[in-house]
Amino acid sequence: MEKIMEVLGFDDADLGSNRLGQLTQKQKDLLAEKAKSHKSFNTIIGVIIAVVFGGALLTGLGAPILAAVGGSLLESGKVTTEALLTLIPIICVVLFVLVIFGGILIVILKVVFDRANKKVDTTVRRVEGTVNFIWVERRERNTSKTGPTYKTVRVLEMRIGGETFNVNNELPNVINQGEEWIFYYTNHPFKFLSAEKNK
């Protein structure tokens, strides 16, 4: 039992409270900090996206102004008609791309900020049953600038009581395949609070 306590970071007081569907003050503080980190991270991502797409959009707003200036220059004879006709399609393409960018920006920001502002759910949940560890392969986007667009990664899942959790490699070292266990956890932010072997 000491090993699972060390891996998941809980003590007897935590386990006792979780059995009653409650959190200890220590767990409340940890979850509050974790929720704050998630919100800050998503907000930062949202701001970066807004700056990149918004910057491009604002730059494009200057295109009509440039077109008006071009018309004035044409009238004054400072620019030839051929030069201006070359610029018009480019300006139109830029405006079209910026309209698309604006739509994409709105959708992405809505998703990011909705995720950042997702309501914290620290209800103590309980799942029990036979533990089954399974390695699964997933395709994930490759964030590296080199190599293929997608890469295959191996992820360890723990299946118990109809629920599936991504877990670290340490858990199978302290829990045997096929044993009966009870796990207490929260959904958002997700955290294993404590666990005990079902006797």
Side-chain angles (χ1 to χ4, degrees):
M1 192 65 182
E2 288 180 4
K3 289 182 180 178
I4 189 72
M5 285 181 166
E6 186 178 333
V7 170
L8 297 184
F10 69 95
D11 55 30
D12 288 327
D14 296 324
L15 180 58
S17 291
N18 300 158
R19 282 174 179 154
L20 299 172
Q22 299 171 352
L23 297 168
T24 59
Q25 189 57 50
K26 179 184 77 176
Q27 289 176 329
K28 287 177 183 176
D29 293 342
L30 282 169
L31 289 168
E33 190 61 37
K34 196 169 183 181
K36 186 178 175 182
S37 295
H38 284 186
K39 187 171 182 177
S40 298
F41 175 76
N42 286 326
T43 301
I44 289 168
I45 294 296
V47 169
I48 290 171
I49 291 170
V51 168
V52 172
F53 282 89
L57 195 60
L58 287 172
T59 302
L61 291 176
I65 298 170
L66 289 173
V69 171
S72 298
L73 291 172
L74 183 62
E75 286 179 12
S76 66
K78 294 180 180 177
V79 174
T80 63
T81 306
E82 292 78 13
L84 191 60
L85 288 173
T86 305
L87 288 173
I88 289 174
I90 296 171
I91 291 170
C92 290
V93 169
V94 169
L95 286 173
F96 176 76
V97 170
L98 289 169
V99 168
I100 300 296
F101 267 30
I104 293 171
L105 173 63
I106 291 167
V107 172
I108 291 176
L109 286 180
K110 185 178 185 309
V111 171
V112 170
F113 286 114
D114 282 351
R115 189 177 294 176
N117 296 318
K118 186 177 177 183
K119 190 174 180 182
V120 173
D121 178 10
T122 55
T123 305
V124 177
R125 300 174 188 274
R126 180 181 188 272
V127 64
E128 67 176 292
T130 304
V131 173
N132 189 18
F133 292 110
I134 296 175
W135 283 99
V136 296
E137 289 189 348
R138 292 182 186 163
R139 280 171 58 80
E140 291 184 356
R141 183 174 288 278
N142 187 3
T143 54
S144 172
K145 293 182 180 178
T146 58
T149 307
Y150 289 91
K151 61 181 179 180
T152 303
V153 295
R154 293 183 77 227
V155 179
L156 182 62
E157 290 184 348
M158 180 182 74
R159 298 177 184 178
I160 175 174
E163 300 288 342
T164 300
F165 303 97
N166 289 342
V167 294
N168 60 39
N169 298 354
E170 291 181 88
L171 219 48
N173 295 330
V174 295
I175 295 176
N176 294 320
Q177 185 91 323
E179 288 182 342
E180 295 285 324
W181 279 78
I182 301 170
F183 279 82
Y184 302 93
Y185 65 99
T186 54
N187 254 353
H188 184 72
F190 173 77
K191 181 172 178 18
F192 280 127
L193 301 169
S194 57
E196 59 184 331
K197 197 167 182 179
N198 205 352
K199 298 175 183 178

